[in-house]
Amino acid sequence: EDSISAIVAGATGKGKSYFMNLYTTLSVLTGSQALIVDPKGDRKHWESLPLIDKAFISKWTLGSDLADRGCLDPFRTADSIENAKATAKDILAYLVDVDLRDTEYQMLALAVEAVSQEEDPCIGAVITHLEEMFVAEEYKMSQKKQQAIETLVDVFHSLKNEKLASLLFGEVGQDFKVLKVDKPMQILMVEHLNLPDSDQSQTRKLLPSQKLSEAIMISITAFTQQYMFNQDRSIHKIILQDEASSIDANPSGRRMMDFIIRKGRYYNTTLLKG
């Protein structure tokens, strides 16, 4: 009676996805709406389903089109500028392996705060702002702070060369795709994701593509919060979050999923966490 959300746990191949698919399909048939986050593309062949015509199913496969660039930038997936700032700081700090005590984090927080007040905030603008801070006299940087900024800029430029980065790192003036939910069943997939297995998630020794994959999943989770807030509250909604362990491994992602669980009852939203 405390929550309308559920965790579906089990070993690989034991029927988690099958159960969640069945639960979600039956719910849609009885009037619910569903957003399915499918990072591995297991549902890419879902053109139509028993009793659900293809007109009621929409699939996004992000990363397959140049129009997808920047659409998962946290400034564009969060439901408010405050949440966007928090998510952007968490994601960027995670990507460069820094925390609150580090000088790099302090410089990063300054750049995110400054960019959040601009007309078109995005990760690309944060990187540009850091570059400007490095040479701007008004900041009167100590050598330690300058070195911290230089490290941040170098890491971000290296990450921008990764395939997945174009989805996450938006640019100013970009004509980006706005994620909309206009069908009873919406399936969201991402090409080229490289999610770590559970052993790697515990040790956190990850490849750049794996870190970007986890960051993308966190940004998608921010979008699912929007989905919960913006849909008709009288209609029951389901967010099916597959491969949720990769989000749980990150404090920011886990915090966002916990928020959906806590507020789900009020917003008539079930999180199915697989």
Side-chain angles (χ1 to χ4, degrees):
E1 66 197 40
D2 296 325
S3 173
I4 60 172
S5 296
I7 183 168
V8 183
T12 302
K14 297 302 182 184
K16 296 188 302 296
S17 294
Y18 185 90
F19 165 73
M20 291 191 295
N21 292 344
L22 180 61
Y23 180 98
T24 302
T25 301
L26 292 175
S27 297
V28 169
L29 282 170
T30 52
S32 299
Q33 292 182 339
L35 172 63
I36 300 171
V37 180
D38 181 13
K40 291 189 174 178
D42 292 337
R43 299 161 184 85
K44 62 186 173 185
H45 300 301
W46 281 20
E47 299 303 331
S48 62
L49 296 168
L51 303 179
I52 302 181
D53 187 78
K54 63 182 179 182
F56 302 104
I57 301 172
S58 177
K59 291 188 295 184
W60 305 318
T61 305
L62 301 179
S64 60
D65 193 313
L66 289 177
D68 297 336
R69 289 179 299 180
C71 69
L72 293 180
D73 189 303
F75 283 103
R76 294 164 183 172
T77 57
D79 62 289
S80 69
I81 194 63
E82 289 304 314
N83 285 339
K85 286 193 294 184
T87 305
K89 282 188 284 189
D90 284 348
I91 284 176
L92 293 174
Y94 168 64
L95 289 174
V96 294
D97 281 325
V98 298
D99 62 33
L100 198 59
R101 296 165 296 180
D102 297 320
T103 305
E104 287 86 354
Y105 185 89
Q106 297 162 24
M107 298 299 99
L108 190 57
L110 281 174
V112 169
E113 185 62 41
V115 166
S116 72
Q117 299 172 39
E118 295 178 2
E119 189 176 332
D120 186 9
C122 58
I123 295 299
V126 172
I127 298 170
T128 300
H129 191 82
L130 285 167
E131 292 170 335
E132 291 169 353
M133 286 171 69
F134 185 72
V135 296
E137 290 183 10
E138 63 264 30
Y139 284 103
K140 295 179 181 177
M141 293 290 175
S142 65
Q143 187 176 3
K144 184 179 180 182
K145 288 181 177 179
Q146 279 203 314
Q147 287 175 340
I149 292 173
E150 188 173 23
T151 298
L152 289 170
V153 170
D154 286 347
V155 173
F156 290 141
H157 278 302
S158 296
L159 287 171
K160 282 177 83 170
N161 294 324
E162 296 285 329
K163 257 182 187 175
L164 291 167
S166 64
L167 290 172
L168 197 63
F169 291 10
E171 299 293 343
V172 174
Q174 194 171 42
D175 186 16
F176 62 92
K177 180 191 288 183
V178 177
L179 299 182
K180 295 179 185 174
V181 183
D182 54 2
K183 299 286 179 72
M185 185 174 284
Q186 195 84 42
I187 303 163
L188 177 57
M189 298 171 284
V190 183
E191 281 200 340
H192 312 303
L193 273 189
N194 181 20
L195 292 170
D197 58 33
S198 56
D199 291 339
Q200 285 178 298
S201 291
Q202 288 169 9
T203 62
R204 313 311 293 156
K205 293 179 180 177
L206 305 181
L207 298 169
S209 63
Q210 290 174 318
K211 297 196 83 170
L212 281 166
S213 296
E214 287 198 339
I216 279 173
M217 290 297 289
I218 294 166
S219 190
I220 288 173
T221 306
F223 172 69
T224 64
Q225 285 186 323
Q226 272 197 65
Y227 175 76
M228 178 173 74
F229 292 142
N230 296 335
Q231 299 301 100
D232 187 339
R233 221 176 98 195
S234 68
I235 298 173
H236 176 240
K237 296 160 289 293
I238 291 178
I239 298 168
L240 194 169
Q241 186 88 61
D242 221 346
E243 301 299 327
S245 57
S246 63
I247 304 169
D248 254 344
N250 182 283
S252 174
R254 185 166 60 252
R255 194 165 57 244
M256 280 190 274
M257 281 203 293
D258 287 345
F259 179 84
I260 296 170
I261 292 167
R262 289 198 315 273
K263 294 291 185 180
R265 191 172 179 82
Y266 178 79
Y267 287 101
N268 202 10
T269 301
T270 292
L271 176 67
L272 268 187
K273 185 177 169 183

